[in-house]
């Protein structure tokens, strides 16, 4: 009986298992945040400089900048279901949505989306109604 209690006592004395040291804010802590290169919505311009590779569990902030040259949207329901959106900031207004399918700019402006990548896979954000490779950004969550 004494031998069985000893390993249990050692486990309990070691304390709780810690998978990461992110502090009290957990996944939302500053040490877990990364800024992504901005996406551009402009007539005849590429959306992104290249594909994005994200790590599941990391908090990201991305700006979407529109020049107002045309009404343009970015759609990507599968991508938006694979992330947890913390907030969307537009002109200093913070929006905390439960879900998102697409975003659209009717005029020039900037939108910032803060999110945590969750579900690994390959996704895309694309301008609806276009087929060109420059009118989309490929996103991989690892």
């Amino acid at each position: 009986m004494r031998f069985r209690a000893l390993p249990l006592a050692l486990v309990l004395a070691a304390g709780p298992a810690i998978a990461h040291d992110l502090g009290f804010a957990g996944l939302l802590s500053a040490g877990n945040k990364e800024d992504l290169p901005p996406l551009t919505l402009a007539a005849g311009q590429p959306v992104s400089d290249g594909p994005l590779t994200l790590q599941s569990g990391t908090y990201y902030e991305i700006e979407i900048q529109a020049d107002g040259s045309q009404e343009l949207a970015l759609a990507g329901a599968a991508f938006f279901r694979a992330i947890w959106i913390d907030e969307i900031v537009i002109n200093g207004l913070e929006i905390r949505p439960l879900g998102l399918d697409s975003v659209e700019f009717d005029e020039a402006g900037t939108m910032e989306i803060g999110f945590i990548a969750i579900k690994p896979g390959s996704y895309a954000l694309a301008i609806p109604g276009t087929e060109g490779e420059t009118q989309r950004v490929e996103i991989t969550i690892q």
Side-chain angles (χ1 to χ4, degrees):
M1 184 73 146
R2 192 169 72 170
F3 295 111
R4 288 185 187 169
L6 183 59
L8 179 59
L10 290 174
V11 169
L12 293 175
I18 298 175
H20 49 75
D21 187 20
L22 296 176
F24 292 113
L27 293 176
L28 299 176
S29 67
N32 192 44
K33 289 185 181 179
E34 286 188 33
D35 289 328
L36 295 172
L39 302 180
T40 304
L41 288 177
Q45 299 296 316
V47 171
S48 177
D49 291 335
L52 301 174
T53 302
L54 313 178
Q55 295 297 316
S56 181
T58 301
Y59 187 100
Y60 293 96
E61 289 182 349
I62 190 165
E63 279 192 356
I64 304 172
Q65 303 166 345
D67 70 356
S69 60
Q70 190 174 349
E71 254 186 62
L72 291 171
L74 276 179
F79 171 71
F80 289 123
R81 285 192 304 269
I83 64 174
W84 174 76
I85 300 173
D86 177 34
E87 67 181 6
I88 299 172
V89 180
I90 306 166
N91 294 331
L93 300 171
E94 296 178 1
I95 303 163
R96 292 186 167 72
L98 293 175
L100 199 57
D101 182 72
S102 64
V103 295
E104 182 174 339
F105 287 80
D106 293 340
E107 53 190 52
T110 301
M111 171 186 301
E112 183 179 283
I113 302 176
F115 66 92
I116 296 175
I118 302 292
K119 185 178 177 186
S122 296
Y123 307 97
L125 289 175
I127 297 174
T130 63
E131 296 181 17
E133 288 184 28
T134 63
Q135 302 304 295
R136 62 190 295 121
V137 58
E138 300 293 332
I139 303 169
T140 302
I141 299 176
Q142 299 178 336

